[in-house]
């Protein structure tokens, strides 16, 4: 919620400055997204009502409809935020070993799979998003993560870390495989063990590609 802040005038006096309409609007959106994210992550998309979101955010339903057409659009915005957080996590893992461009792609892939162990991420991005948004919309909204994968692969090729090849087909296979692996991990009886198995096979795949076999 936007609150008044202080400013100093030419005489050195402090005065309270009321937030602008844009600041109030942005604050309302943030409150709605935070409230919706908390509910989607705990009770799920189907069980979350817009009334509950408004109550948690402390806004009217009219304010919600001013910014979002309905629950699906609100969920889409929350899902987009989750993808942005995931992209940041992948980028951080990649940069940590960026001097080795192929290992950096592996570490980014590891970060992607490890994120699937977070129950709140699972609920929003893996369990509810396919039904709420559909695979095509999910693919479009997850474009940042896919682009990061392609950029990393292209850089590894340029640096000679893996043999020359078109980057796009390998990107599709790797990113698609990671997405399926993440889903398999969260549905496994022992997700942690499933993650370790997936990373073991992923390591073998990366080593084979680097060797050109």
């Amino acid at each position: 919620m936007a609150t008044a802040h202080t400013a100093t005038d030419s005489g050195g006096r402090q005065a309270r400055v009321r937030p602008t309409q844009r600041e109030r609007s942005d604050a309302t959106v943030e409150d709605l997204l935070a409230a919706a994210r908390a509910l989607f992550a705990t009770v799920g998309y189907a069980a979350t009502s817009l009334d509950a979101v408004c109550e948690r955010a402390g806004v009217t339903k009219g304010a919600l409809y001013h910014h979002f057409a309905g629950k699906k659009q609100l969920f889409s915005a929350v899902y987009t935020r989750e993808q942005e957080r995931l992209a940041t996590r992948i980028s951080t893992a990649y940069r940590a070993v960026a001097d080795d461009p192929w290992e950096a792609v592996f570490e980014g892939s590891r970060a992607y799979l490890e994120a699937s162990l977070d129950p709140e991420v699972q609920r929003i991005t893996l369990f509810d998003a396919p039904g709420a948004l559909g695979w095509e919309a999910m693919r479009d909204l997850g474009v940042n993560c896919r682009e990061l994968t392609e950029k990393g692969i292209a850089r590894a090729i340029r640096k000679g870390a893996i043999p020359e090849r078109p980057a796009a087909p390998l990107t599709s296979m790797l990113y698609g495989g990671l997405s399926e692996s993440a889903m398999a991990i969260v549905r496994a009886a022992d997700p942690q063990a499933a993650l370790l198995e997936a990373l073991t096979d992923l390591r073998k795949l990366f080593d084979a590609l680097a060797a050109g076999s």
Side-chain angles (χ1 to χ4, degrees):
M1 182 178 295
T3 57
H5 56 278
T6 59
T8 303
D9 62 20
S10 58
R13 296 181 296 272
Q14 287 192 336
R16 292 179 65 80
V17 179
R18 294 177 61 84
T20 65
Q21 177 61 38
R22 176 62 181 271
E23 288 172 335
R24 290 195 297 272
S25 178
D26 289 347
T28 298
V29 170
E30 290 302 316
D31 289 341
L32 285 167
L33 289 175
R37 202 268 181 191
L39 290 168
F40 290 143
T42 52
V43 302
Y45 178 79
T48 296
S49 69
L50 292 182
D51 287 333
V53 173
C54 291
E55 181 178 358
R56 189 180 184 98
V59 304
T60 65
K61 210 165 185 179
L64 184 150
Y65 280 119
H66 178 72
H67 297 286
F68 300 99
K71 187 164 75 166
K72 182 176 180 178
Q73 188 185 37
L74 181 60
F75 183 84
S76 178
V78 170
Y79 179 83
T80 298
R81 286 279 182 93
E82 293 302 304
Q83 292 300 301
E84 291 169 352
R85 291 189 184 98
L86 181 56
T88 298
R89 184 168 178 169
I90 292 170
S91 296
T92 299
Y94 181 95
R95 288 195 298 269
V97 290
D99 288 344
D100 186 336
W102 192 228
E103 187 64 20
V105 177
F106 177 82
E107 288 302 322
S109 301
R110 179 203 293 273
Y112 180 92
L113 292 178
E114 288 177 343
S116 67
L117 293 181
D118 184 329
E120 294 186 347
V121 173
Q122 291 174 11
R123 169 74 78 167
I124 294 171
T125 66
L126 298 174
F127 292 151
D128 286 350
L133 300 175
W135 287 109
E136 185 173 351
M138 286 177 63
R139 185 172 62 250
D140 291 342
L141 293 172
V143 67
N144 286 343
C145 293
R146 193 185 191 287
E147 285 181 349
L148 287 175
T149 302
E150 185 161 10
K151 287 178 180 178
I153 290 173
R155 178 172 179 262
I157 293 169
R158 288 198 309 272
K159 296 289 186 178
I162 60 174
E164 182 72 27
R165 71 188 69 221
L170 182 55
T171 299
S172 295
M173 287 187 285
L174 179 57
Y175 184 71
L178 289 172
S179 299
E180 286 296 318
S181 293
M183 186 67 75
I185 288 167
V186 303
R187 296 189 182 280
D190 186 342
Q192 185 66 52
L195 171 64
L196 292 176
E197 290 174 356
L199 289 174
T200 297
D201 284 340
L202 187 66
R203 177 81 274 169
K204 293 176 181 176
L205 173 64
F206 269 65
D207 290 347
L209 286 168
S213 57

